């Protein structure tokens, strides 16, 4: 029972922190959205910071685990890049607050940035960098591609898309969807990396 | 004299709004950073919202004007793309708060998003979309590239880079700089758009 309440709290807290930012959310607000009594939340979490840390850890562990799966076969760099793109889009559908909280942390890092956010981002960046390096080594990707920069460029297309799409959708084709963006981004990027000029 | 005070206010306000977000900055805070007396700011601006609008208009007009220059020769799509990338990097150096305020508006749009931010973004997106369309028409860029998506992808690489680089620089090569990122992003992207497979 306590586990169910705890999960409901974390879910409501993720939504409120994403919508309003840490510092503009109280434990009472979270209890109210979760539909529980205030004493139930005070029994589980000491303060807002405590809850925020648990929320970030839960979301960024999910991110790190799902993204690790994308790179599981080290012999297939282009296929792994496709899995990376697909996992980003899946995660954005399944845990949208993860991304909003990440962008908020990039704009104004909290104490949790280094130990939670960066720790998990570093792990995924390491896998992605290795994947690009492997592709260059196998001569599938062109010589001279810096793996860390390629990771930043590729991830960047998706992150900006997630950050901006709701607000700028009037600039995009009406029939536009995530899938279509992913396919084109992957195509242009893989073609751009391709070893012949 | 009033013009100099006004410009100093706008500059200080841009910094404070970027650092703290609209809603966490008072006219007094701005006067204090600008090194002027509170009555001087109250004579020029009625309230925070009034000042915020003027700051956004000033920054986004700069953005729109500089970016328009990048697309001035409609017969050179790849060169225009290079000018686009270069202008983004120049603007980020010259008016860094422009970008921070843009990302804040994307995360939590104010009343000014539609009339100021989106109006200027729309203008630049229109020029960039036309540039991609022209490149496809001239068969420099591959057939089937959707111009609006190409704009989003290309701008996205730079926006995410600007949003993230301070916080994730420990993941990047030590010697890494904006110029290097720009050159590689442009190279991979132009190569990716190139009409032969």
């Amino acid at each position: 029972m306590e586990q169910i309440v705890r999960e409901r709290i974390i879910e409501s807290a993720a939504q409120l922190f994403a919508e309003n930012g840490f510092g503009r959310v109280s434990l009472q607000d979270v209890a109210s959205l979760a539909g529980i009594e205030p004493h139930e939340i005070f029994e589980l979490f000491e303060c807002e910071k405590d809850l925020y840390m648990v929320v970030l850890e839960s979301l960024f562990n999910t991110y790190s685990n799902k993204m690790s799966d994308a790179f599981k076969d080290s012999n297939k760099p282009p296929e792994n890049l496709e899995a990376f793109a697909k996992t980003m889009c899946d995660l954005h559908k399944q845990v949208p607050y993860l991304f909003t909280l990440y962008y908020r942390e990039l704009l104004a890092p909290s104490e949790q940035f280094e130990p939670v956010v960066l720790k998990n981002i570093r792990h995924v960046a390491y896998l992605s960098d290795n994947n690009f390096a492997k592709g260059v080594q196998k001569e599938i990707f062109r010589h001279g591609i810096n793996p860390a920069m390629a990771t930043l460029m590729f991830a960047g297309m998706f992150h900006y898309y997630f950050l901006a799409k709701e607000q700028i959708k009037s600039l995009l084709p009406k029939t536009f969807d995530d899938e279509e963006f992913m396919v084109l981004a992957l195509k242009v990027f893989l073609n751009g990396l391709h070893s012949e000029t």
Side-chain angles (χ1 to χ4, degrees), chain A:
Chain A
M1 185 59 201
E2 193 184 291
Q3 192 50 32
I4 294 171
V5 171
R6 200 181 152 84
E7 274 165 24
R8 214 150 81 193
I9 290 171
I10 292 175
E11 209 169 298
S12 300
Q15 181 184 335
L16 290 177
F17 286 132
E19 285 170 359
N20 307 300
F22 174 70
R24 287 182 177 184
V25 176
S26 68
L27 290 183
Q28 280 90 339
D29 297 334
V30 178
S32 163
L33 183 66
I36 58 167
E37 294 301 321
H39 76 85
E40 294 181 275
I41 199 167
F42 292 121
E43 278 157 21
L44 291 166
F45 299 95
E46 215 168 280
C47 59
E48 285 78 9
K49 212 165 96 177
D50 188 17
L51 176 55
Y52 183 63
M53 195 187 74
V54 171
V55 167
L56 278 189
E57 269 177 349
S58 155
L59 291 172
F60 279 88
N61 283 341
T62 302
Y63 169 76
S64 184
N65 290 336
K66 298 261 183 187
M67 292 300 278
S68 298
D69 288 346
F71 295 106
K72 60 180 182 290
D73 185 347
S74 70
N75 277 314
K76 296 180 169 170
E79 286 82 352
N80 287 354
L81 207 58
E82 186 175 344
F84 174 138
K86 207 177 160 330
T87 307
M88 287 283 276
C89 291
D90 289 349
L91 279 170
H92 190 257
K93 279 205 185 73
Q94 291 154 13
V95 276
Y97 305 130
L98 160 66
F99 292 94
T100 314
L101 287 171
Y102 178 48
Y103 309 141
R104 285 195 179 275
E105 282 284 332
L106 287 174
L107 272 172
S110 74
E111 283 172 32
Q112 304 307 324
F113 184 78
E114 190 92 24
V116 182
V117 179
L118 194 60
K119 192 191 90 180
N120 285 288
I121 296 287
R122 180 180 290 124
H123 175 66
V124 175
Y126 172 81
L127 296 172
S128 172
D129 293 1
N130 275 351
N131 186 58
F132 282 116
K134 187 88 181 188
V136 172
Q137 188 198 318
K138 287 168 94 71
E139 296 180 3
I140 299 170
F141 299 155
R142 54 174 50 206
H143 182 74
I145 294 290
N146 178 299
M149 285 204 257
T151 295
L152 186 56
M153 288 165 55
F154 192 64
M157 292 194 290
F158 291 92
H159 281 305
Y160 181 65
Y161 173 71
F162 296 147
L163 173 63
K165 74 167 178 168
E166 276 311 306
Q167 310 309 333
I168 64 164
K169 60 187 167 197
S170 65
L171 310 181
L172 302 172
K174 277 201 186 64
T175 55
F176 190 81
D177 66 17
D178 295 3
E179 187 72 15
E180 210 179 332
F181 179 79
M182 189 191 81
V183 168
L184 189 68
L186 193 65
K187 194 168 146 183
V188 171
F189 203 74
L190 276 175
N191 192 50
L193 289 179
H194 210 270
S195 66
E196 293 97 316
T197 316

